[in-house]
Amino acid sequence: MDMQEVRKIARERMKGFCRVCSICDGKVCAGETPGMGGCGTGSAFHNNIKSLKNLHVNMRLVHDIRDPEISCNILGLDLEVPVIAAPIGGVSFNMGGALTEEQYVKAIVDGCKESGVIGCTGDGVPPFIHESGFKAITEVNGYGIPFIKPWDHAEFDEKLEKAIQTNCSIIGMDIDAAGLITLAKMGRPVSPKGPEELAKIVEKIHGLGKKFILKGIMTVADARAAADAGCDAIVVSNHGGRVLDHAMGVADVLPEIAQRVKGHLTVLADGGVRDGVDILKMLALGADAVMIGRPFSIAAMGGEAEGVKAYIEMLKGQLKSTMVLTGCPSVKETSMHLISVPKSSW
């Protein structure tokens, strides 16, 4: 199964919810939430794309690098490529419901595992969203990362107990979901977490023998707070532009955040990554690995596990080719020297 076929099927299955555009930049789906678009004007979604597009890679070919190393270890996980499928749920109201939630999340988790990376599962309302995710992770003996939204104490603790039962080694919270319109409309609002409450959550998860990822960091202040609270990793993310209109693009804020906290915790980046070139750009800006959202959804909708595997194989080839053409020997040896900002963007 190739990506052309995957995208063709996805376009049919997601009709009315996602156009599966040749360039997924959020322009034609602006304001379509529920759906696959960004909130409001869609500018935050577009800013993710624009911030990466404004970076150019530096071609360099006078070197001896022919087979660059694209594997890495993230939070104790050996990944064949520094890619993690971002937590996305709500197939019925965001993607058209051509697959059930169970079919969708199983495609993500299984396809990632079979391709040497790892998939995250989402949370939300109705309960079958998190239940489907937990079931999929359990069926692969814990090889997945369940994300829990920033609910109040009782609901968070209840879902944390269920997540532990999946045998996973890492648990995440997408704190960037604190402003999700869809949840508020369902009468289940979520909220930010103060430093003390966050530290207690991290302590509880560490006490259960698990590592903790906090997703939704867009400032140095929040990154430092996450480090102080004991988080093992952060995800620099604006929730795909789905919660705060006019938010900055991830690639614009990533370098300073990475510079301030890298070495204290693992830095992941999620926002606008579409191909292997984008992966290298994010690594050059300071990320240890990337999360990818919408393209994984399209791959799963268009080909289930086989579609996910096809997408990951494409990313591996693109990343390796880009590293050869920029003289980068390993994903562990990336830096700002690989990229340039054209003067027209200054």
Side-chain angles (χ1 to χ4, degrees):
M1 195 173 207
D2 61 26
M3 284 307 298
Q4 186 174 354
E5 182 183 0
V6 169
R7 291 174 62 82
K8 180 177 182 293
I9 296 171
R11 193 172 289 111
E12 295 167 357
R13 288 180 171 176
M14 302 175 80
K15 189 174 182 179
F17 292 81
C18 177
R19 289 115 177 132
V20 190
C21 301
S22 56
I23 300 175
C24 179
D25 58 10
K27 289 184 177 180
V28 299
C29 59
E32 295 181 4
T33 307
M36 298 289 278
C39 70
T41 66
S43 66
F45 181 172
H46 181 60
N47 287 344
N48 284 339
I49 305 296
K50 183 180 177 183
S51 63
L52 274 173
K53 184 179 178 181
N54 284 343
L55 300 172
H56 291 185
V57 288
N58 296 325
M59 181 181 284
R60 189 169 73 84
L61 288 162
V62 181
H63 58 71
D64 298 319
I65 300 161
R66 293 176 173 81
D67 187 25
E69 180 57 66
I70 64 171
S71 66
C72 63
N73 184 284
I74 300 294
L75 298 175
L77 300 170
D78 290 322
L79 305 180
E80 291 185 14
V81 62
V83 169
I84 297 169
I88 295 180
V91 171
S92 58
F93 46 83
N94 284 324
M95 304 176 209
L99 298 182
T100 66
E101 194 76 26
E102 282 196 12
Q103 288 174 320
Y104 170 79
V105 73
K106 181 175 175 57
I108 294 289
V109 172
D110 289 1
C112 285
K113 185 176 187 295
E114 292 169 21
S115 297
V117 299
I118 194 165
C120 302
T121 63
D123 183 15
V125 180
F128 65 70
I129 295 176
H130 75 269
E131 290 169 355
S132 298
F134 293 164
K135 180 182 177 183
I137 294 175
T138 301
E139 288 176 350
V140 292
N141 194 30
Y143 195 80
I145 305 174
F147 270 74
I148 305 172
K149 297 208 179 302
W151 310 105
D152 64 21
H153 301 288
E155 183 160 0
F156 183 84
D157 288 345
E158 176 189 341
K159 290 184 177 177
L160 177 58
E161 279 188 32
K162 293 180 180 179
I164 294 299
Q165 293 170 14
T166 68
N167 200 33
C168 64
S169 62
I170 304 167
I171 292 172
M173 174 191 284
D174 46 340
I175 202 169
D176 49 1
L180 272 179
I181 297 170
T182 49
L183 292 178
K185 285 180 177 178
M186 294 175 184
R188 298 282 293 283
V190 281
S191 61
K193 301 296 178 190
E196 290 185 9
E197 184 178 1
L198 178 60
K200 288 178 181 178
I201 290 170
V202 176
E203 183 180 8
K204 182 179 295 184
I205 290 172
H206 284 171
L208 294 166
K210 313 296 180 183
K211 294 180 180 178
F212 182 71
I213 300 175
L214 186 66
K215 177 177 174 288
I217 301 300
M218 287 293 288
T219 64
V220 169
D222 272 4
R224 283 176 168 170
D228 290 343
C231 296
D232 298 289
I234 58 171
V235 187
V236 183
S237 172
N238 61 20
H239 207 87
R242 293 172 63 77
V243 293
L244 178 63
D245 202 5
H246 303 288
M248 293 276 285
V250 167
D252 286 331
V253 302
L254 174 59
E256 187 178 8
I257 291 173
Q259 184 180 17
R260 299 294 182 91
V261 299
K262 202 165 180 180
H264 299 285
L265 40 65
T266 297
V267 178
L268 309 175
D270 165 46
V273 177
R274 299 292 179 260
D275 56 32
V277 180
D278 289 337
I279 294 171
L280 190 66
K281 287 180 181 180
M282 286 295 203
L283 298 181
L285 293 174
D288 294 300
V290 302
M291 280 189 176
I292 302 177
R294 289 176 179 90
F296 265 111
S297 293
I298 290 168
M301 291 298 291
E304 298 182 50
E306 291 304 312
V308 170
K309 289 159 65 176
Y311 179 57
I312 295 168
E313 288 308 307
M314 182 185 79
L315 292 177
K316 289 177 181 177
Q318 291 172 337
L319 177 59
K320 185 163 282 196
S321 174
T322 304
M323 290 171 68
V324 169
L325 291 167
T326 56
C328 180
S330 167
V331 293
K332 300 171 188 174
E333 299 178 55
T334 57
S335 69
M336 294 286 282
H337 79 277
L338 296 169
I339 56 178
S340 297
V341 180
K343 292 183 179 179
S344 60
S345 298
W346 293 356

